[in-house]
Every structure is written in structure tokens, then in C-alpha cells.
Amino acid sequence: MRTLQRSRSAARAALVLLSLVFSLAFGAGLALAAERDAGNGPTGDDLTRFDIAEWHDKLYESTNALNSPGGGSSGLRGWAMMALAMFEASNTIDRIYAPYAVSPASIPDGIDLKIASRRVAVAKAAQVVLDGLFAPPPSQPKNALAHLRRFAHASEFAIHTAAFDPASPAYVNGVALGNFVGQEMLKNRADDGHPPADTKVVNGTDWNQYQYGLPYFPDPPQSSGYTSVRPFGVAAFGLAGGDVTFVVPPLDPDSPEFKAQWEELYRYGTSNSSRSARTAETDATARFHDGNFGSQIGNTIDILASADIRQTGTDLLRIIALTAMSAHDAHASHWFWKYHYRFGRPITQYRQVPADQPNGLGVLHDDAWQPVLTTSPNPEYPSGHAARTGALTASFRKAFGENLTFRTISFSDPTAPPRTYTSFTALQDEVMISRTYGGVHWRHSGPAGRDMAQRVTDYIWSHYLQKTASADAETKEKADAK
């Protein structure tokens, strides 16, 4: 999965060097180009959904080029950092919403917010954060693609600000503001526990517990440090622990509910059984959603490009920032619970279940059982796919409503046809069942990750980036005037 992503990213980076043609990755580029050809591109100081999508394209390429040190939170951490910096740069000028980390009073006296270009400030903030992601701590090796990615970021900044005279006060103050905000965001996350330090994970002893080092599950624990570094492994963007992150325990293996899931996954998730109930569509669904690392960034690109979204400017940047915060914190929280419950993956449970296990599970003991998809080297419960996508869909549902039509592509299989959805629930449900079709998650893991992500999202949306009292008063005054 990551090899495909790195190959795609490298190929697109080479295209940038050769032609300086910047189009969105995957299906989004065509939609953006069509809109701009129709005369709907950015003008002056406007910030459209297409501008925001283009920076997400650079983010997706760059976070994949980092090769995810510390697990999938590498991409989601970068997303939240960039999205918050872009929001702060724009909101510092508009002062519509409460700031996240950059208060108006902290802006250096030499920066004139009254004349600073919002467009320039947002682009510079995004560039500074993306460049900063390639400044690893001493324990991490330097990234060989750093110069290439910084060139891509600088080129994107030049494209977004091409209409401005670099000597103009709007440009100069916009650059200064964006640089300040970007640097403040990097400082804010300089000691956030990423990437987490490795710690020893003790293997389970029961047949249904997480175990690694087995002939059929040999890889060392993925992101094991998440169990010991702060409540979430990497410091959250909006949470401080508590019940909001709680995940209910997995099903008891002796329960009738688990037996039904045991039999379901054996039929749909196996790659080598004569008793399989797989179809071409269940396989296609499993493979379409397998590349979930960073796919919330890609989903955002595609949704911004293909859906009828009316929000622009600071309002849209706020939506994206809250979504990125929610996705990161739900993802970081799910890691903690994975290593808390240490529930076994299907590939180990089917091979290790005793033949006389109560509830009849031992009837499906299978020493050669293999899943459709490659199983990630971490505990089974809850599903990270469900948690990350749950935060994305819960956030966008709050912002755009449930029934938005959008199209997205696969982030693990570039040749797969794009899929169109008419609701965020449809995407969420398909992502959850795809993990059972792939043979890597019992059905109970999807709702567990989704429900936790919903609570995380509700908390973040109700506690951060709220409209200021002065902005509320101005809105009421305009409404009364009408």
C-alpha cells in the first residue's frame, strides 16, 4: 500500500520538475481544471475550495514522502498543522473566530493586518508548515526528498500569489504574517511526542489475544510507542483525555454475536477457502479502501473538487481545520485502545482457536487461513479506518449536511474506477464493511472506531474555533437590518 503511494508521489514529483505543471492528484485535477477553464478560478484575494484543495495535494505528496515515521499519524498530524496554520493566517485578518494558537495580540508590530493579503498569508503559512515537516529531530534521518518537496511547496506558493506585485505592501505584509503563523504552528508542535518512542509490547498468551512474531504474523508491533507516550501517543490537537475517547470492550469470543461475526468473516474475508462467499464486488470494495493511510487528506481533495460546496475563505478553512483536528485525535486515540485491549487479528485467531473452544468457534480452526488483504502488524480492535473516516464524515456532515454528492478514488489501487457517494454515511459504512471483506477486522471494530470518532468530533467542534462575540453581534445586526 505505502509502496504504491510512494511510487505515485515520486512520479508526480518528477512531473513537477520536468514541466512545472501543477494539477491535483488522482481524480481531483480534472475537476479543478474544468472549473478554472470555466472562469471560476481565484481572483484577487479570494480563497476558493480549489485553492485549499491544491495545498492538500502538496500535503498528501509530502506526508507520503516522509514515509510516515511513527505510524499513520504522520500524515494526519501534518494535515492538522497545515490546516490550522492556513486558518490562523486568514482568521487573524478577519477575526471572525476564536484563534487556535495565534492571538491577534501576538502578531509582531511590524505586520500591518489591515493591508496584508489574506491569499498571500494563507499560502505562506501552508508553505512554511510543509517545509517544517522535513526538519526531523536528531533521532530521525534526513529525508532524501526534502529538497524536492520544498521546491514543490515554493512553486505552489508562487502560483497562488502570482497576481501580486512582490513589492506591494499587501504582498510583503501577507508574507510576514504567513511566515509568523507557520513558525508559531511548528513551535506549537515541536515537542508533541511525534514520532513516538518504541516500547516493548508484551505478547498475549490466550488464543484470541494479539500476538506477533508468529510464522504467519511475524512483523514487530506497528507504532507500539503509542501505548506509553502521553494519553494518545502523540499529543492531541484538541483533547485532554476523558470519557470522550473511551472505546467499549470488544465482544466476548463466547458470545453469540461474536460467533456470527466469526462465521461471516471466514466466508467473506478468506482468500483460500472453498467455503468462501467472496464476490468480485466484495473484493473490489476491500481493495478500494485498503489504502487508508492519509486517505482522509485525499478524500478531502476529491470532495472539495467534486461536491457542490458553497463555503469559501476563512469559513471553509475553519471547517477543514476542525476536520483535521478531529481525524488526528480520533486516530491517536484509537491507537491507545488497540494496545489496551490487544484483541487478536483474524489471521491469528483462526489458526490458534482450540478445536474444543466453547460456542463452536473451533469448527472453523484453519491452519492455512489467509485474508484477502495484508494484515497490519497491530492489534485488531478498534478499526483505525473507521476512526479516521468517522471523524472525516462526522465533521463534513456538520459542515455540509448529510446528503452531499461527491466522488473519490482509491488510495491503494490507482487503477480502480472512482466511486460516487450521495451521503457521508454511505462512505463511512462502506469503509467499515470493507475491512471485514478484506479479512482484517471483525465487524464489531467498525462501529467502535466510528462511535469514538463521533464523540471526539463533537467535542472538538464545540470547543475550538468558535465564532467570536463581536462576530456574532455583527451577524445579528445584519440579520436585524434585513
Side-chain angles (χ1 to χ4, degrees):
M1 176 181 68
R2 294 184 184 176
T3 301
L4 279 172
Q5 292 171 330
R6 289 197 296 270
S7 298
R8 180 182 290 179
S9 182
R12 295 193 68 251
L15 181 62
V16 169
L17 278 177
L18 291 172
S19 63
L20 295 182
V21 174
F22 292 87
S23 62
L24 271 176
F26 320 123
L30 294 177
L32 288 168
E35 287 286 343
R36 296 193 178 236
D37 289 345
N40 296 327
T43 59
D45 218 28
D46 293 342
L47 282 166
T48 72
R49 57 191 171 108
F50 305 106
D51 300 321
I52 298 170
E54 286 171 347
W55 279 111
H56 278 67
D57 183 44
K58 294 297 166 287
L59 169 71
Y60 187 88
E61 293 176 345
S62 293
T63 53
N64 274 287
L66 286 169
N67 196 25
S68 183
S73 78
S74 179
L76 297 175
R77 172 179 177 268
W79 183 22
M81 291 171 66
M82 187 191 81
L84 280 166
M86 294 173 73
F87 163 79
E88 297 269 57
S90 184
N91 187 60
T92 300
I93 295 173
D94 288 344
R95 300 194 185 190
I96 301 173
Y97 302 101
Y100 177 76
V102 181
S103 67
S106 69
I107 303 299
D109 293 338
I111 300 175
D112 191 340
L113 297 178
K114 294 180 180 179
I115 60 176
S117 162
R118 179 186 299 101
R119 183 176 181 80
V120 173
V122 169
K124 178 55 68 171
Q127 179 193 3
V128 168
V129 168
L130 291 181
D131 285 350
L133 295 177
F134 286 89
S139 61
Q140 296 292 315
K142 292 183 178 180
N143 189 283
L145 295 175
H147 291 302
L148 180 63
R149 297 313 310 152
R150 287 179 179 134
F151 173 78
H153 307 155
S155 299
E156 192 67 35
F157 173 78
I159 289 172
H160 277 255
T161 61
F164 291 85
D165 177 0
S168 68
Y171 182 94
V172 171
N173 282 274
V175 167
L177 175 60
N179 185 67
F180 175 78
V181 169
Q183 293 296 341
E184 287 297 296
M185 182 55 60
L186 293 174
K187 292 177 185 177
N188 184 266
R189 302 300 297 189
D191 186 26
D192 65 357
H194 179 82
D198 283 335
T199 57
K200 184 175 178 57
V201 175
V202 179
N203 258 344
T205 56
D206 293 337
W207 69 268
N208 64 322
Q209 289 183 318
Y210 168 68
Q211 297 181 42
Y212 62 92
L214 303 171
Y216 41 88
F217 201 51
D219 291 334
Q222 183 183 56
S223 304
S224 56
Y226 278 77
T227 59
S228 64
V229 184
R230 306 195 184 188
F232 311 97
V234 174
F237 280 85
L239 300 178
D243 292 342
V244 68
T245 66
F246 179 72
V247 174
V248 297
L251 290 172
D252 186 329
D254 292 336
S255 67
E257 295 82 4
F258 187 73
K259 181 179 181 181
Q261 296 188 19
W262 179 269
E263 294 172 343
E264 174 192 42
L265 193 143
Y266 190 92
R267 294 195 306 272
Y268 286 97
T270 181
S271 64
N272 61 346
S273 173
S274 60
R275 287 182 272 185
S276 173
R278 291 162 50 207
T279 66
E281 176 54 24
T282 63
D283 274 13
T285 299
R287 294 191 168 93
F288 188 92
H289 295 289
D290 190 32
N292 200 252
F293 162 68
S295 69
Q296 288 71 43
I297 302 169
N299 290 148
T300 300
I301 297 172
D302 288 345
I303 291 168
L304 288 172
S306 66
D308 184 17
I309 293 172
R310 303 305 174 94
Q311 291 91 336
T312 60
T314 304
D315 291 334
L316 184 54
L317 288 171
R318 171 182 176 267
I319 290 169
I320 301 302
L322 289 169
T323 302
M325 291 172 66
S326 300
H328 175 276
D329 287 4
H331 171 84
S333 298
H334 107 279
W335 276 118
F336 175 85
W337 293 104
K338 272 185 179 294
Y339 286 101
H340 175 79
Y341 290 123
R342 292 191 299 162
F343 202 65
R345 291 279 188 170
I347 192 173
T348 63
Q349 289 202 15
Y350 283 127
R351 290 168 179 253
Q352 296 184 156
V353 61
D356 59 351
Q357 176 66 22
N359 204 24
L361 300 187
V363 173
L364 292 180
H365 177 104
D366 188 341
D367 290 328
W369 191 90
Q370 289 286 351
V372 171
L373 302 175
T374 300
T375 303
S376 298
N378 53 61
E380 187 271 337
Y381 183 90
S383 164
H385 277 56
R388 294 184 292 271
T389 303
L392 176 86
T393 55
S395 292
F396 283 173
R397 192 179 292 114
K398 290 177 182 290
F400 309 127
E402 168 63 71
N403 299 315
L404 190 72
T405 298
F406 58 93
R407 181 211 54 197
T408 189
I409 60 95
S410 172
F411 297 92
S412 50
D413 182 5
T415 66
R419 295 191 173 205
T420 298
Y421 303 89
T422 57
S423 72
F424 290 114
T425 297
L427 172 63
Q428 172 69 63
D429 289 348
E430 188 174 280
V431 168
M432 290 195 301
I433 194 60
S434 75
R435 307 308 283 161
T436 296
Y437 290 159
V440 295
H441 274 298
W442 313 107
R443 188 183 279 262
H444 68 175
S445 285
R450 175 201 62 199
D451 294 347
M452 179 270 290
Q454 180 70 60
R455 293 193 302 274
V456 168
T457 302
D458 288 343
Y459 181 90
I460 288 175
W461 276 72
S462 63
H463 285 78
Y464 292 91
L465 315 188
Q466 302 298 296
K467 186 168 284 190
T468 62
S470 59
D472 275 333
E474 183 179 346
T475 300
K476 185 178 184 302
E477 184 178 343
K478 290 180 179 178
D480 292 342
K482 292 181 179 180

